[in-house]
């Protein structure tokens, strides 16, 4: 049998509607796996469940997957959304704190040896300018200290 006849017989054996049905089944499997992993993650992330509660939900979701997932979504679905929002807010706050610390120029290891509790370069330059303006240091001393600070 040549390839054209084989392709034609395969096309007759598997009509277009069966292709759509297969694609729907594949999509539903992917959706089910997504829900399964999302729910298992939520079970372990939940702080209001005891260890036995987590074990019970996990056994129910794994042993009776369809009933377990539907029951979990019905019973704890609203709290699941709240936990997602709470985790996103915590992650956002952590990123903002990191950016704020990095922008402030705090030395990571206290590398300047000043023991100043993590002052920024801007604060140090302002302090030097104040000392120069009050006459505590000369312009030459100010310039040397500024060069040393900016290196």
């Amino acid at each position: 049998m040549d390839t054209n006849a084989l392709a034609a017989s395969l096309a007759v054996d598997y009509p277009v509607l069966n292709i759509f049905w297969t694609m729907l089944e594949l999509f539903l499997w992917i959706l089910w796996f997504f829900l399964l992993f999302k729910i298992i993650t939520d079970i372990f992330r939940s702080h209001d469940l005891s260890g036995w509660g987590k074990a019970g939900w996990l056994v129910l979701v794994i042993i009776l997957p369809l009933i377990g997932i539907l029951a979990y979504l019905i019973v704890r679905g609203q709290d699941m959304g709240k936990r997602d929002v709470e985790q996103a807010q915590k992650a956002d706050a952590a990123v903002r704190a990191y950016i704020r610390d990095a922008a402030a120029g705090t030395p990571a290891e206290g590398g300047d040896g000043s023991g100043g509790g993590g002052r920024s370069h801007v604060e140090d330059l302002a302090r030097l300018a104040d000392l120069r303006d009050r006459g505590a240091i000369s312009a030459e001393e100010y310039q040397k200290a500024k060069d040393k600070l900016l290196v």
Side-chain angles (χ1 to χ4, degrees):
M1 190 185 282
D2 65 349
T3 57
N4 289 338
L6 181 62
S9 69
L10 286 176
V12 171
D13 289 343
Y14 206 72
V16 174
L17 287 177
N18 284 356
I19 293 172
F20 288 129
W21 183 255
T22 303
M23 288 172 53
L24 178 66
E25 288 176 342
L26 180 66
F27 172 74
L28 289 175
W29 272 102
I30 292 170
L31 178 67
W32 182 80
F33 276 116
F34 174 78
L35 280 173
L36 179 68
F37 293 131
K38 183 81 171 155
I39 287 174
I40 289 174
T41 302
D42 189 66
I43 288 171
F44 287 110
R45 182 178 44 192
S46 178
H47 296 293
D48 60 339
L49 278 177
S50 67
W52 287 107
K54 290 178 183 183
W57 276 113
L58 194 61
V59 166
L60 184 65
V61 166
I62 290 175
I63 300 297
L64 300 170
L66 185 60
I67 294 170
I69 287 176
L70 290 176
Y72 191 86
L73 289 175
I74 290 168
V75 173
R76 299 182 51 87
Q78 190 173 13
D79 294 334
M80 191 168 136
K82 290 176 185 175
R83 281 186 293 278
D84 280 343
V85 169
E86 183 180 302
Q87 182 184 12
Q89 288 172 344
K90 284 181 182 177
D92 184 54
V95 167
R96 287 179 186 271
Y98 173 76
I99 291 171
R100 205 172 19 254
D101 289 345
T106 56
E109 300 174 8
D112 63 348
S114 66
R119 285 192 312 252
S120 70
H121 292 302
V122 175
E123 292 170 341
D124 289 338
L125 285 173
R127 186 176 53 83
L128 282 173
D130 184 49
L131 288 172
R132 181 196 60 194
D133 293 342
R134 286 187 295 156
I137 60 173
S138 67
E140 184 180 304
E141 290 171 327
Y142 169 77
Q143 190 61 39
K144 285 180 183 178
K146 184 175 110 177
D147 291 341
K148 183 179 177 184
L149 182 66
L150 295 177
V151 170

